[in-house]
Amino acid sequence: MFLQPLICGAFICFAACNLVFAEALVTDRPDFTESTSVVPLHVLQVEMGYTYGHTGSAKSHSFGELLCRAGAMDNVEWRIEVGSYLVDNSSGSWQPGFNDPALGLKWGLWSGVPTFLGSMNTAVIGMLTLPLGSPAFSESKISPEVKWCMDWDTGTAFGLASNLNYAYPSSGGVSFSQFSWSLSASYEFSDRWGGYLEYYTFRPAKPTGDSSNILNTGLTYLLSNTTQLDARAGVGLDGASPDYFAGVGYSVLYQ
C-alpha cells in the first residue's frame, strides 16, 4: 500500500531535477488507445491525470494515474504504471486506497509501411500488473497483458490509431481471459491543439461474460515541445460500462 506513493515521489523528484529541452513528446494519454511512439534512449516521459467516474449510484475519483516511460534502447522503452489513489463509494461508503502498479515495456516494430489508409507504424506492449495495491482495489494476482498497437499517418491533419489487446485479469479472485479493441480518430486543429474521438470495448468485462463498450472524446494542448495538457470525457454504451467519466491530465518529457 505504501510502495506506490514512494515510487511516485521518487520519479517526480528525479524528473524535476533533470529538465532540459528535448524532442516533442507523443503521449499515451488521454485516450485508451496506446500510441506506437517509443521514448528515446536517455529520455524520461511522465504522464499523469485525474478522472471522475459515475456508475449508477456509485461515484469514484482516481488521482495520479502516473505512467513513467523511459528509453531502454533503440525502439524499446521501460514502462512503470504507479498505482493510482482511488476513492469510491461503490460499497455504500467512501473507501480510499491504491490500485495495483504494473511493469512492462514497449517495443517499436515496423514504421512507414505503405497501406491504403496511409503510412502504418506498429508497436507491441507487454505489461505485468502486480498485486501490491490496497485490498479493496487489488486484483490479488499477477495479471499479464499484451497490446498490439497500430497507427496510420494519412499525410493530413487526420490520423487513425487502433489497439488489439489480450489480458488475463482477475476479479473477485477469479482469473479470466479478456480481449479488448479500440479505434481512435484524431485531428490536429493547429500546431498546439489536437482532438480525438474513440470507441473501445472489453470482451468480457467481467468473469460473468458481460461485455463493455465505451465512447470517449478529448482534447490535447501543447504548452511546449515537452509539456502537454489534456482533457477527456466518455460514456458507457451498455450496463457493464460506467455511465460516464471525465478527467484531465498533464504530461512532461525530460532528458
Side-chain angles (χ1 to χ4, degrees):
M1 180 184 303
F2 301 103
L3 181 63
Q4 293 91 329
L6 291 176
I7 296 175
C8 177
F11 267 96
I12 292 175
C13 290
F14 170 82
C17 295
N18 291 277
L19 176 63
V20 299
F21 290 104
E23 63 183 71
L25 81 170
V26 178
T27 65
D28 279 351
R29 60 168 301 121
D31 58 354
F32 173 80
T33 305
E34 310 279 18
S35 72
T36 63
S37 174
V38 175
V39 172
L41 191 63
H42 306 307
V43 170
L44 171 68
Q45 187 162 306
V46 179
E47 306 176 16
M48 64 191 80
Y50 159 80
T51 300
Y52 169 79
H54 192 283
T55 304
S57 60
K59 303 174 184 178
S60 65
H61 301 271
S62 173
F63 301 92
E65 301 177 352
L66 184 62
L67 170 63
C68 299
R69 304 166 57 192
M73 60 184 72
D74 289 342
N75 295 324
V76 177
E77 71 177 34
W78 295 111
R79 298 169 66 88
I80 299 178
E81 295 180 6
V82 180
S84 299
Y85 184 73
L86 306 177
V87 183
D88 78 21
N89 64 351
S90 59
S91 61
S93 60
W94 288 101
Q95 180 143 12
F98 288 92
N99 65 357
D100 293 330
L103 304 174
L105 57 83
K106 180 194 286 188
W107 179 21
L109 299 176
W110 305 293
S111 61
V113 178
T115 71
F116 72 96
L117 292 174
S119 179
M120 183 178 74
N121 307 305
T122 61
V124 64
I125 297 174
M127 300 292 294
L128 283 177
T129 299
L130 307 176
L132 300 175
S134 305
F137 301 107
S138 176
E139 292 189 8
S140 73
K141 296 182 180 180
I142 294 177
S143 301
E145 183 175 22
V146 177
K147 300 183 178 183
W148 178 261
C149 310
M150 301 167 284
D151 62 42
W152 293 265
D153 182 358
T154 64
T156 69
F158 286 97
L160 196 64
S162 180
N163 286 175
L164 300 173
N165 313 321
Y166 170 78
Y168 193 64
S170 64
S171 178
V174 178
S175 298
F176 62 102
S177 291
Q178 181 183 75
F179 296 90
S180 57
W181 172 81
S182 68
L183 181 64
S184 179
S186 61
Y187 185 79
E188 295 181 1
F189 299 104
S190 68
D191 290 340
R192 293 186 179 273
W193 284 100
Y196 70 90
L197 179 65
E198 173 188 54
Y199 164 81
Y200 59 97
T201 181
F202 296 93
R203 299 178 180 271
K206 302 176 181 179
T208 55
D210 296 330
S211 295
S212 173
N213 299 275
I214 297 171
L215 192 63
N216 177 32
T217 188
L219 292 170
T220 59
Y221 178 72
L222 278 172
L223 293 170
S224 70
N225 278 352
T226 59
T227 55
Q228 176 182 284
L229 299 176
D230 66 65
R232 65 181 177 132
V235 295
L237 304 179
D238 49 52
S241 305
D243 295 337
Y244 61 86
F245 59 88
V248 294
Y250 175 75
S251 302
V252 61
L253 183 150
Y254 304 95
Q255 179 171 290

